[in-house]
Amino acid sequence: MSERECAGVNMKLNKTNVESLPTPVSGQSFYWDWDGLPKGFGVRVTASGARSYVIQKRIDGITKRITLGAHGSITCDQAKVRASEEVVLISKGSTSSDEKKRAKAVSVTLREVASAYIAERRTSKGGPLAERTKQDILKHVDKAFHDWADKPIRLITRDMCSKRFTGLSAKGPTQANASFRYLRALINYAKEAYRPGDVPIILENPVSVLSGKRMWNPNNAKNGRIPMEKIGDVWNLLHEKRVSDAVQTIGKTGADIILFLLMTGARWSEAAELKWENVDIEVAAWHIPDPKNHNPVFFPISKQLRSILAERKKQSESPYVFPSRGKAGFIADARFSLGEVSEAAGAHITAHDLRRTFISIGVSLKIEMWKLKLLTNHISKGDVTIDHYTETSDLRYLSHEIQQISTWLGKQGAIAAAGNVVQLRKRNTAA
């Protein structure tokens, strides 16, 4: 604020005098009260004719002006009282504006922090968080911390974290770890984002108690996959489900999405949420515009998968490749079909196990691992060849490798059919 901006006319301020002050042609004019305390009390008049009371003081060597209220909404005497209150706060190193900001900051809720984090957080590449990550954060806030969500985040304590983590771990160790990793990130964000007067509202992240007490659940890496000798049986089962009149539409969709996962190595969410706008049957490619690793990429499609997708496209009225009648519009899971796959495989098989199966097949066919990493969109930083010398956004040059895997799958089906018959269950009512 310049000296000129601080300058004005000294006069006695009261209701009559304030209302008779001239309106400046442009900008604003100041009139300072000379009749009593507090010093620095005045009124500002703008070119629009608006009049408001102010108190002007030097704070830390800088002249600051605080608006007390508009003339008419408060009287001159009321403004003087507010000015005196501001002077007391200033003597303590703050102002009413600071106090309001602090009151707002200390009352910010976990849900509000999550919303701000989602809106402002950037990835290592500078882009926004993936939609899947945003959904995961909100899901954990609503489920794992539903009774904390609308309370001040600063009131979350170490003891609360310890007890809640123990309770969640009894239901699902992996989900408990995930929930508290998100909570830790949100609290770390709040420590930096909410600092009224440059004082953080949270001094220590209470989630640190889990590390201090060594409470984190061990990460038991999974390595499930369809046994190689059973892949032919699974392949035939899925194709039989596709054409059987006894299988309902959702069951056929379940079979198709499992075949898609086997022939692409995609993540479940990438396949389930795939829209026709991101599939080009003519050029045999599909696209993920916003994947988990933030690397938008085009993938090749094998002849076998192209045939399946073309058939689905002819029958589809949904924007999703694998639709359902559920609220989301796309298939949420394929438990029934995966149950049948597990029975045919002789082992419990999850959707992610299909991804591992795809990689195992690729390895058995001597496809180089860097190619399999690209095809599964699993790029790890630090691989100089991939980071600097390899095309990672359009993988259609790997169509030969993707075709190798689909061809091998078909051959295994033929081998299995020559010596086995996989029977469908009589009752097929779900995916």
Side-chain angles (χ1 to χ4, degrees):
M1 187 182 304
S2 68
E3 291 297 325
R4 184 175 181 179
E5 288 179 307
C6 296
V9 178
N10 292 321
M11 61 180 294
K12 178 180 176 62
L13 293 181
N14 55 38
K15 181 178 183 296
T16 302
N17 289 344
V18 169
E19 291 179 347
S20 64
L21 292 172
T23 300
V25 176
S26 62
Q28 53 191 4
S29 299
F30 292 90
Y31 299 87
W32 307 107
D33 188 29
W34 68 17
D35 184 26
L37 299 174
K39 186 178 180 180
F41 172 70
V43 65
R44 173 178 54 209
V45 184
T46 67
S48 66
R51 290 160 169 74
S52 56
Y53 296 103
V54 298
I55 181 72
Q56 184 169 283
K57 289 290 182 182
R58 291 186 69 81
I59 304 174
D60 297 329
I62 301 173
T63 300
K64 293 187 178 181
R65 188 183 302 131
I66 302 165
T67 300
L68 305 168
H71 175 68
S73 63
I74 60 173
T75 66
C76 187
D77 289 338
Q78 289 172 332
K80 286 184 178 181
V81 172
R82 290 189 184 182
S84 298
E85 293 171 348
E86 289 290 348
V87 170
V88 172
L89 288 172
I90 290 170
S91 68
K92 296 179 179 179
S94 66
T95 66
S96 60
S97 177
D98 295 333
E99 293 300 311
K100 288 178 182 177
K101 289 178 182 178
R102 178 159 186 81
K104 184 176 181 180
V106 298
S107 63
V108 68
T109 66
L110 173 59
R111 192 184 305 280
E112 290 171 333
V113 170
S115 296
Y117 180 91
I118 287 171
E120 299 178 10
R121 180 69 172 175
R122 291 293 178 266
T123 66
S124 58
K125 293 185 177 181
L129 296 176
E131 286 303 316
R132 190 73 181 181
T133 301
K134 296 177 183 179
Q135 293 171 14
D136 282 346
I137 291 172
L138 295 177
K139 178 189 73 175
H140 285 283
V141 168
D142 286 334
K143 291 186 177 181
F145 311 112
H146 60 92
D147 52 336
W148 300 357
D150 297 310
K151 296 179 181 179
I153 193 171
R154 68 183 181 87
L155 298 183
I156 298 174
T157 66
R158 290 166 61 89
D159 186 56
M160 289 168 63
C161 288
S162 180
K163 290 180 179 178
R164 180 59 53 88
F165 183 79
T166 299
L168 292 176
S169 295
K171 299 177 182 178
T174 301
Q175 284 298 304
N177 281 356
S179 295
F180 272 85
R181 287 195 178 100
Y182 279 127
L183 180 63
R184 179 174 60 189
L186 294 176
I187 294 177
N188 282 336
Y189 171 82
K191 286 175 62 179
E192 299 301 323
Y194 302 91
R195 302 173 65 91
D198 204 31
V199 178
I201 63 170
I202 300 171
L203 299 179
E204 179 196 31
N205 194 322
V207 180
S208 63
V209 69
L210 304 184
S211 297
K213 295 172 69 173
R214 299 182 182 276
M215 294 179 67
W216 291 104
N217 296 305
N219 182 18
N220 297 320
K222 296 181 179 179
N223 56 4
R225 67 204 69 210
I226 300 173
M228 300 296 273
E229 67 276 12
K230 294 291 186 179
I231 290 177
D233 290 338
V234 170
W235 178 264
N236 292 338
L237 167 71
L238 295 170
H239 277 279
E240 188 177 344
K241 281 177 67 71
R242 295 190 68 252
V243 299
S244 173
D245 293 335
V247 178
Q248 296 181 5
T249 300
I250 188 63
K252 295 178 185 293
T253 301
D256 281 354
I257 193 171
I258 292 174
L259 285 167
F260 183 93
L261 296 174
L262 271 176
M263 287 188 276
T264 63
R267 298 176 177 88
W268 172 267
S269 61
E270 294 167 346
E273 298 172 24
L274 182 63
K275 294 184 175 181
W276 286 116
E277 65 188 47
N278 292 317
V279 175
D280 191 327
I281 296 174
E282 293 301 317
V283 301
W286 65 288
H287 176 54
I288 306 179
D290 186 24
K292 182 177 180 180
N293 66 2
H294 309 291
N295 179 54
V297 59
F298 287 88
F299 298 94
I301 294 174
S302 68
K303 293 178 181 178
Q304 292 87 337
L305 182 55
R306 184 180 182 185
S307 175
I308 291 173
L309 293 176
E311 186 178 337
R312 293 198 65 80
K313 180 66 174 175
K314 290 178 183 178
Q315 303 170 1
S316 177
E317 296 180 356
S318 169
Y320 292 101
V321 177
F322 304 105
S324 78
R325 295 180 180 178
K327 184 177 179 180
F330 55 80
I331 188 167
D333 59 57
R335 296 177 197 175
F336 191 85
S337 293
L338 282 171
E340 290 188 318
V341 166
S342 297
E343 185 174 319
H348 178 66
I349 301 299
T350 67
H352 202 75
D353 291 336
L354 302 174
R355 182 171 166 86
R356 283 187 279 265
T357 301
F358 173 89
I359 295 174
S360 294
I361 295 170
V363 171
S364 73
L365 294 173
K366 302 189 184 311
I367 297 174
E368 295 168 275
M369 184 54 71
W370 67 268
K371 293 181 179 179
L372 293 172
K373 284 184 178 181
L374 289 175
L375 287 170
T376 54
N377 206 25
H378 185 75
I379 302 172
S380 55
K381 293 296 181 183
D383 189 319
V384 176
T385 301
I386 292 179
D387 289 347
H388 301 287
Y389 302 105
T390 306
E391 168 59 51
T392 61
S393 60
D394 189 343
L395 305 181
R396 282 176 287 184
Y397 64 91
L398 296 177
S399 59
H400 173 71
E401 285 76 10
I402 211 76
Q403 184 60 54
Q404 273 186 282
I405 292 175
S406 287
T407 299
W408 185 89
L409 284 165
K411 287 182 178 179
Q412 298 310 301
I415 293 171
N420 300 292
V421 177
V422 180
Q423 296 291 337
L424 280 173
R425 294 180 186 177
K426 292 182 180 180
R427 182 172 175 269
N428 288 282
T429 59

